[in-house]
Amino acid sequence: MEPVTVVSGRAVPLDRSDVDTDQIIPSDWLKRVERTGFGRGLFSEWRDDPGFVLNRPEHQGATILVAGPNFGIGSSREHAVWALMDYGFRAVVSPRFADIFRTNCTKQGLVPVEVDPELGRALLRAVQEDPGLEVTIDVVRLTIEAPAAGLAGRFPLDEFTQQRLLHGWDDVGLTLRHEPAIEAYERSLPDWLPRVAPNPS
Amino acid sequence: MSTGPVSTGPVGDDRGTPRTLFEKVWERHVVHRAPGEPDLLFIDLHLVHEVTSPQAFDGLRLAGRRVRHPELTVATADHNVPTTDIDQPVADPISARQLEVLSKNCAEFGIACFPMGHPNQGIVHVIGPELGLSLPGMTIVCGDSHTSTHGALGALAFGIGTSEVEHVLATQTLPQRRPAAMAVEVEGELPLGVSAKDIVLAVIGRIGTGGGAGHVIEYRGSAIRSLSMEGRMTICNMSIEAGARAGMVAPDDVTFAYLEGRPHAPKGAAFERALDDWRTLPTDEGAVFDTTVRLDAATLRPHVTWGTNPAQVAPIDGSVPSPDQFADPAAREAVARALAYMGLQPGTPIREVPVDTVFIGSCTNSRIEDLRAAAAVLEGRRVRPGLRALVVPGSRRVRQQAEAEGLDRVFKAAGFEWREPGCSMCLAMNPDKLQPGERCASTSNRNFEGRQGRGGRTHLVSPAVAAATAVAGHFAAPEDL
Ligand code: SF4
């Protein structure tokens, strides 16, 4: 994962709640065995509508998605995060994220910015009124600011995840520091745990 | 960064204070704990399917890593598999490739794999319990949000993304922050015709799609205890639809009777030893939950969703709501958008909504008991002419058992198509899809826009309501026939 410190740029206002991962990337797209190229599938059913916010010329090149509450509910598909990032987003703002989606974001370096509902609404309105509004998300200070609209707030991120994002650390590498603890644990596994042999070749 | 103290085995065995089932299972799996860091949990069983694993195996190869515990990893093909002509090559070349990649990856890394046609093949959340792979007190993960299903056995089971799949393959552990504990207590006796599906739809309707976020739910109370294992699985399955990390039910004699004799469940003395352990798992008297939700079983009715998320649900005796009934402007708009997508008018009685398709299947309701409940309604009746109706058993074993009981004949005589096992029309990755504008009564778990095919309209119901609806041509409870 690439380290991420600051995300700064224009935003797209997606004024909907309960945006599920089937909407973010429909299941047709899940047949691919690669990790790249999902940007074209992002919100593909909604994008058929020329008036859909992502299609508007004033929002091209935006790096931040601002959405309603319960963003990323539904399926665990990390493809949703790959699609958002492949399209060009580096941060998503919502008053509440679904748990698995949020974790998937932090594994890939897409910053989940959980704001209080009032700031979320104010930001949606501000970006709707001024598509050129510059929004800055700072992963060091855990702040989100849009000075031209007079908006500022903080967002939560536990220190461990924050450090991982800032340094772009590989999770597997971090875990393998605890190899002795894993080995010790493995010696205590109960004998009734199912162990399954591979298919005969 | 500090690595913190390195533990030398299971930690946190604190027998003094009353603890919940969830806490007990969590604590016994902590491999490493340090202030400011997530707990590192050992994973007892890793289930794998073709959709969320290819990129994880690629990651392993890129990093030159192996699978740490192939014997604790089991794969099955379910999302893409066709449910007809399975002796023919898979027609969709991209699906075919994904299925082939799964088999190849499993062969390369030494993992047991149940491809299409294998006697153990089926939906990943159906085969885990039925093979005795999912047992009380275990930690179980899968790159699939409905992994919560396995919590019905008293396991801590949750869905993960592909990066985490790779992490578990490489280390058999997962760094996790401990969620909060929620109790959903359902007391009383369920009225006739009301099933586990109706309980969970009512719960989601009550707490919303985000109500369980950051929590593990334990389902408790007399109505839960009186359910079969299949019913408990249906409820735990849809925990994710309330936003919860996992759902659990305390293991009891129903659980143990279900498990005894299953292919991978312990046998003989080992089963007795396991039982001694499993009996210590249920929540202690006096243990504290962070949140509690209570439901009176006696007041429940069959439920039908009318919108585009599972919380948009009503009793079958109700009507399609009007956006005006919602105070919050955002909710009003969401309801209006859902009704427009669903092609529904406010005030229409649910029973008057006609359907084109009935789908009985998915990891929520495709087990033997679900098929029995639907068949009991269909016995001696016919599907409404012009309506398409399919049954997709959750696994090959379920299919075989249903055939041994003659249920396939009941379904076929009624006019249902009797299919091969897989996810099928639950998410429409295989050829079973709705056409734009088609309306479906479905026993699956998600009524999201386009979930069953672009433009398709999904209403979530129980197997009994699905069967009655197939006969009536509009939403109906068995008592209406
Ligand atoms: S049946 Fe549906 S919900 Fe269950 S695993 Fe398959 S696609 Fe997912």
Side-chain angles (χ1 to χ4, degrees):
Chain A
M1 156 170 96
E2 293 294 314
V4 43
T5 316
V6 172
V7 179
S8 197
R10 285 177 294 115
V12 177
L14 182 64
D15 190 3
R16 297 188 187 202
S17 60
D18 300 288
V19 173
D20 59 76
T21 55
D22 277 81
Q23 256 42 261
I24 301 173
I25 185 84
S27 64
D28 277 352
W29 283 84
L30 307 191
K31 296 179 184 179
R32 297 162 48 86
V33 295
E34 301 81 17
R35 218 182 255 262
T36 51
F38 287 94
R40 277 191 303 127
L42 180 69
F43 295 121
S44 67
E45 299 199 1
W46 290 345
R47 267 158 86 189
D48 283 354
D49 168 8
F52 180 58
V53 67
L54 231 58
N55 291 334
R56 295 204 204 119
E58 65 271 26
H59 292 305
Q60 300 313 303
T63 52
I64 298 165
L65 183 68
V66 185
N70 297 325
F71 190 86
I73 60 170
S75 145
S76 66
R77 56 187 75 165
E78 197 162 308
H79 311 65
V81 173
W82 303 336
L84 286 159
M85 294 190 78
D86 194 50
Y87 183 86
F89 289 116
R90 291 294 169 264
V92 183
V93 182
S94 165
R96 179 155 64 187
F97 291 99
D99 291 332
I100 304 178
F101 176 82
R102 191 175 197 282
T103 302
N104 288 342
C105 284
T106 65
K107 302 291 175 187
Q108 294 297 315
L110 181 66
V111 186
V113 183
E114 196 169 295
V115 292
D116 75 57
E118 249 166 71
L119 177 60
R121 287 226 63 79
L123 204 62
L124 267 175
R125 263 196 312 271
V127 181
Q128 280 164 343
E129 277 161 25
D130 176 11
L133 184 70
E134 192 72 15
V135 179
T136 299
I137 289 152
D138 185 331
V139 184
V140 178
R141 294 187 298 134
L142 300 180
T143 54
I144 173 164
E145 291 169 336
L151 296 174
R154 297 184 57 80
F155 63 95
L157 206 59
D158 64 86
E159 197 192 322
F160 184 78
T161 307
Q162 181 188 26
Q163 292 301 321
R164 274 204 311 104
L165 285 176
L166 290 171
H167 295 92
W169 276 330
D170 165 26
D171 247 356
V172 176
L174 289 179
T175 293
L176 289 177
R177 295 173 309 160
H178 305 305
E179 178 82 40
I182 301 174
E183 281 172 11
Y185 189 94
E186 285 165 338
R187 286 192 288 275
S188 73
L189 292 179
D191 66 342
W192 48 261
L193 209 62
R195 292 166 173 86
V196 187
N199 300 19
S201 53
Chain B
M1 187 170 43
S2 102
T3 56
V6 174
S7 80
T8 52
V11 293
D13 189 20
D14 177 8
R15 282 166 212 274
T17 29
R19 293 181 303 162
T20 63
L21 163 66
F22 156 60
E23 273 179 85
K24 292 182 196 184
V25 180
W26 182 281
E27 289 301 325
R28 58 161 71 179
H29 287 90
V30 177
V31 169
H32 169 81
R33 173 174 283 163
E37 289 185 33
D39 284 349
L40 190 64
L41 293 187
F42 191 80
I43 302 302
D44 293 327
L45 173 65
H46 185 191
L47 298 165
V48 172
H49 66 67
E50 76 274 20
V51 176
T52 53
S53 66
Q55 296 86 351
F57 284 112
D58 272 349
L60 281 191
R61 265 188 294 265
L62 268 172
R65 290 178 175 131
R66 62 190 179 95
V67 174
R68 188 176 179 98
H69 283 286
E71 83 286 6
L72 303 181
T73 312
V74 174
T76 186
D78 55 6
H79 283 63
N80 275 277
V81 296
T83 55
T84 52
D85 304 321
I86 61 161
D87 47 348
Q88 306 291 314
V90 175
D92 177 345
I94 321 178
S95 287
R97 171 136 182 268
Q98 196 168 56
L99 291 164
E100 196 186 297
V101 165
L102 178 72
S103 293
K104 278 201 179 137
N105 281 330
C106 290
E108 180 182 338
F109 289 98
I111 295 168
C113 179
F114 309 140
M116 201 166 68
H118 190 285
N120 289 344
Q121 181 267 342
I123 305 173
V124 64
H125 312 308
V126 175
I127 67 161
E130 90 181 351
L131 293 174
L133 290 166
S134 313
L135 301 173
M138 286 172 71
T139 44
I140 303 173
V141 298
C142 174
D144 196 286
S145 60
H146 290 101
T147 309
S148 58
T149 313
H150 310 256
L153 294 132
L156 174 63
F158 52 91
I160 56 179
T162 296
S163 293
E164 292 177 302
V165 170
E166 184 180 333
H167 190 281
V168 177
L169 288 173
T171 70
Q172 203 61 33
T173 65
L174 206 55
Q176 289 282 306
R177 264 174 213 286
R178 195 164 104 176
M182 176 186 280
V184 170
E185 292 185 0
V186 193
E187 293 288 350
E189 211 175 312
L190 280 181
L192 207 69
V194 178
S195 71
K197 181 67 161 282
D198 303 303
I199 296 181
V200 72
L201 285 173
V203 170
I204 300 162
R206 168 88 75 84
I207 69 176
T209 60
H215 288 76
V216 168
I217 300 177
E218 182 182 333
Y219 298 94
R220 299 160 61 80
S222 55
I224 303 295
R225 282 196 301 276
S226 70
L227 291 173
S228 65
M229 282 317 299
E230 283 88 346
R232 296 175 186 186
M233 288 183 223
T234 298
I235 293 192
C236 288
N237 173 276
M238 289 193 72
S239 303
I240 183 72
E241 261 54 71
R245 213 55 196 94
M248 299 177 88
V249 174
D252 59 10
D253 290 339
V254 176
T255 320
F256 308 144
Y258 173 90
L259 286 173
E260 196 167 5
R262 300 226 165 232
H264 287 281
K267 308 266 171 347
F271 189 69
E272 294 305 319
R273 269 198 309 280
L275 275 183
D276 288 343
D277 180 31
W278 297 342
R279 288 193 206 281
T280 68
L281 290 171
T283 296
D284 301 323
E285 189 85 37
V288 182
F289 290 90
D290 300 284
T291 319
T292 299
V293 175
R294 290 193 177 81
L295 231 69
D296 178 4
T299 62
L300 290 177
R301 291 286 298 147
H303 275 57
V304 180
T305 63
W306 48 262
T308 52
N309 72 56
Q312 295 179 322
V313 65
I316 191 162
D317 321 279
S319 310
V320 176
S322 159
D324 303 336
Q325 288 164 243
F326 297 80
D328 172 39
R332 232 177 1 248
E333 216 186 294
V335 170
R337 196 194 315 280
L339 294 187
Y341 179 86
M342 294 298 288
L344 292 171
Q345 292 303 318
T348 310
I350 301 274
R351 278 196 176 82
E352 288 177 15
V353 177
V355 308
D356 310 296
T357 298
V358 169
F359 170 65
I360 298 178
S362 93
C363 58
T364 312
N365 284 126
S366 64
R367 298 180 182 82
I368 188 68
E369 190 177 279
D370 302 312
L371 303 194
R372 286 183 195 140
V377 175
L378 292 170
E379 183 92 61
R381 296 195 164 106
R382 291 279 309 163
V383 167
R384 181 108 179 163
L387 190 143
R388 172 169 63 146
L390 39 149
V391 194
V392 182
S395 70
R396 186 142 302 282
R397 283 169 186 257
V398 169
R399 191 176 193 271
Q400 269 165 358
Q401 186 172 350
E403 289 180 352
E405 294 179 17
L407 304 182
D408 59 321
R409 289 198 302 275
V410 176
F411 282 115
K412 286 188 260 187
F416 268 80
E417 294 175 45
W418 179 247
R419 296 293 189 88
E420 303 288 340
C423 294
S424 176
M425 202 184 266
C426 174
L427 93 164
M429 273 186 87
N430 80 346
D432 309 331
K433 291 185 204 305
L434 294 182
Q435 295 305 309
E438 258 188 323
R439 190 179 300 285
C440 179
S442 176
T443 65
S444 56
N445 43 49
R446 287 188 174 139
N447 50 345
F448 298 152
E449 287 180 28
R451 171 79 177 182
Q452 297 190 291
R454 209 179 174 103
R457 295 164 171 164
T458 303
H459 298 263
L460 305 176
V461 293
S462 71
V465 168
T469 299
V471 173
H474 54 78
F475 289 104
E479 72 209 36
D480 302 339
L481 300 180

